[in-house]
Amino acid sequence: MIIKLFLEMEMDTSTSPEGSYTENLIGTLLAIFGNVLVSISLSIQKYSHVKLAGNKDLRAFYGTKTWWCGFVFTCIGEGANFASYAFAPLALVAPLNAVSILTSSILGFIFLREKLKPKDFMKRYALAFLGCILTIGGTYLFVSFGPNSHEKITAENVVIHIVGWPVLLYLFLGIIAFCLLLFFHKKRHINYLIIILLLVALLGSITVITVKAVSGMLLLTIKGSMQLDYPIFSVMFVCMVASVVFQAGFLAQACKLHEPCLIAGVNYILSTVLAVVAGAVFYLEFKNEDVLHICMFLLGTSLCLLGVFFITKTKKTTKSFEPYVTMNMANGVPTIHDKDFNSAFSYGSLVNSDGAAPFPLPNNLKQSPDSFRSTNSSDGHSDFKKD
């Protein structure tokens, strides 16, 4: 019903100046709604996992209603994000992913379980509050001064853009950069975060280009102009699916090697920058914009990037497990303990891990109790047993 209303509004005003504003408004609202819903769904799913771990429930996560509720919200949110590319310019929709990070940060503050004094709370989270303010202000600026390009995404227009020399040059340089980064990552085994996320961002630029093409052609098809029988639609659809799959693979590798909060911030910055460049090169979204609007858009985007960096910078980093060995003098057997006395092995647990069972050692490292003995000498010193 809502989508039908949006389509009727777009059909009535597509040729007027107000129509461009209406399309921008529809795409912006869809993107904001989708990102907010995705962040809420992720919080719901995380709550489901934590609840299962806390109650020691043996059920799988997909066996709970809470997780499926979050999954449904995720599908609706991603569908709204997909539809937003058909209405608003790519350079306007891509930076709105900051709304998801901002919403997740606000939800974290609301459900924060730490009991801190106001002074300590402000000291710890002042940078995050500053990041939220910068993100909100930057979002307002780049939405207000964003590009107003509303070319109909037909199959013919997509082909014309692809064969143009700016796009061919952009794709050529992107492929060379991707191959070089992939060589260092796979062959040289260089697992720096910036290399992995640059691979993700390069794939993401292809993703947003193809998503806008596919969503635009689907919108025209729904309005009555069939676009699905053109070969370029199939090519764009296959490229979209492939780039999303490979992006997920590289992000999974990054999550295994680096902190999730750092990944979220750096990935947003790199992906947004390359997405804006892709929109400017492929769809010529800044062609008819004046210098003032472009500068204000870049200022708003920069404030948004800085705000997201501040928000993710204040997140706590997890401590890696670093065991140390002590000698249990009761039986002369070395025992491995956790280095962090206040942490626990189980996820979500608040119990001290000192009472955890010692880790077994290989047989060649175990020592018998006869290796040491104490003497009852008058000075209280212990001597080793001589063989």
Side-chain angles (χ1 to χ4, degrees):
M1 189 65 161
I2 297 176
I3 297 177
K4 183 178 180 181
L5 178 61
F6 283 164
L7 291 176
E8 292 176 354
M9 293 171 59
E10 195 272 337
M11 292 174 64
D12 294 336
T13 60
S14 59
T15 59
S16 62
E18 291 81 5
S20 298
Y21 174 79
T22 303
E23 290 179 355
N24 270 8
L25 180 61
I26 293 173
T28 301
L29 292 178
L30 283 173
I32 293 175
F33 172 75
N35 283 295
V36 170
L37 205 60
V38 167
S39 62
I40 293 175
S41 66
L42 293 177
S43 299
I44 293 175
Q45 289 180 328
K46 183 177 180 180
Y47 170 78
S48 176
H49 287 288
V50 172
K51 188 175 180 181
L52 287 175
N55 296 335
K56 297 181 179 180
D57 196 338
L58 299 180
R59 290 183 300 168
F61 62 89
Y62 50 81
T64 61
K65 296 180 180 179
T66 308
W67 187 88
W68 279 107
C69 180
F71 178 77
V72 172
F73 284 170
T74 300
C75 294
I76 297 175
E78 293 296 346
N81 286 331
F82 178 81
S84 66
Y85 285 95
F87 293 95
L90 193 156
L92 182 61
V93 176
L96 285 174
N97 289 329
V99 175
S100 179
I101 299 177
L102 179 63
T103 306
S104 299
S105 178
I106 294 174
L107 291 175
F109 287 138
I110 293 176
F111 296 103
L112 190 65
R113 295 184 178 181
E114 294 183 0
K115 296 181 180 180
L116 299 175
K117 296 179 180 180
K119 183 178 180 180
D120 297 333
F121 186 85
M122 290 301 299
K123 183 178 179 181
R124 177 176 295 183
Y125 297 104
L127 198 61
F129 285 132
L130 177 60
C132 292
I133 295 173
L134 290 176
T135 303
I136 294 173
T139 301
Y140 173 77
L141 283 178
F142 75 71
V143 169
S144 300
F145 296 94
N148 201 24
S149 174
H150 289 277
E151 178 189 17
K152 288 186 178 180
I153 309 300
T154 62
E156 292 86 353
N157 289 338
V158 173
V159 173
I160 291 174
H161 286 304
I162 289 179
V163 298
W165 71 265
V167 176
L168 293 177
L169 179 61
Y170 176 80
L171 293 176
F172 177 72
L173 295 177
I175 291 173
I176 292 178
F178 184 85
C179 293
L180 288 176
L181 292 171
L182 191 63
F183 171 78
F184 286 114
H185 176 57
K186 293 295 185 181
K187 297 297 182 180
R188 300 294 183 180
H189 303 287
I190 299 177
N191 295 321
Y192 294 137
L193 179 62
I194 189 67
I195 291 181
I196 301 177
L197 293 186
L198 275 175
L199 291 170
V200 174
L202 288 171
L203 289 171
S205 65
I206 302 300
T207 301
V208 293
I209 289 174
T210 54
V211 165
K212 184 170 181 61
V214 172
S215 61
M217 285 187 278
L218 283 175
L219 178 63
L220 289 179
T221 301
I222 294 174
K223 291 166 60 176
S225 178
M226 176 57 66
Q227 302 290 318
L228 306 185
D229 53 354
Y230 287 92
I232 190 62
F233 177 82
S234 301
V235 172
M236 286 293 180
F237 184 81
V238 171
C239 292
M240 179 185 69
V241 175
S243 61
V244 169
V245 171
F246 284 109
Q247 268 186 278
F250 285 119
L251 282 175
Q253 294 180 20
C255 290
K256 292 179 182 179
L257 301 173
H258 303 280
E259 295 294 335
C261 58
L262 183 61
I263 294 172
V266 178
N267 182 51
Y268 170 77
I269 294 173
L270 296 177
S271 298
T272 301
V273 171
L274 289 182
V276 171
V277 173
V281 174
F282 195 94
Y283 294 106
L284 305 176
E285 294 178 343
F286 294 93
K287 182 179 180 180
N288 298 323
E289 300 296 325
D290 54 24
V291 178
L292 177 61
H293 279 73
I294 294 176
C295 292
M296 294 302 293
F297 172 82
L298 294 178
L299 176 61
T301 305
S302 301
L303 291 177
C304 203
L305 297 177
L306 185 62
V308 170
F309 174 75
F310 284 160
I311 292 173
T312 56
K313 184 178 177 60
T314 57
K315 299 293 183 181
K316 290 183 177 180
T317 56
T318 57
K319 295 182 179 180
S320 59
F321 173 73
E322 296 181 7
Y324 69 95
V325 180
T326 60
M327 186 65 66
N328 189 343
M329 297 306 296
N331 52 14
V333 178
T335 306
I336 296 180
H337 302 272
D338 190 359
K339 182 179 180 180
D340 187 4
F341 289 95
N342 296 324
S343 63
F345 297 127
S346 59
Y347 176 73
S349 176
L350 298 178
V351 182
N352 196 307
S353 60
D354 290 342
F359 284 79
L361 289 177
N363 293 328
N364 57 353
L365 294 181
K366 291 184 178 180
Q367 300 183 15
S368 62
D370 295 332
S371 300
F372 298 94
R373 68 179 181 88
S374 60
T375 61
N376 296 326
S377 58
S378 59
D379 55 358
H381 293 285
S382 299
D383 296 327
F384 291 99
K385 181 179 178 180
K386 298 181 180 179
D387 293 331

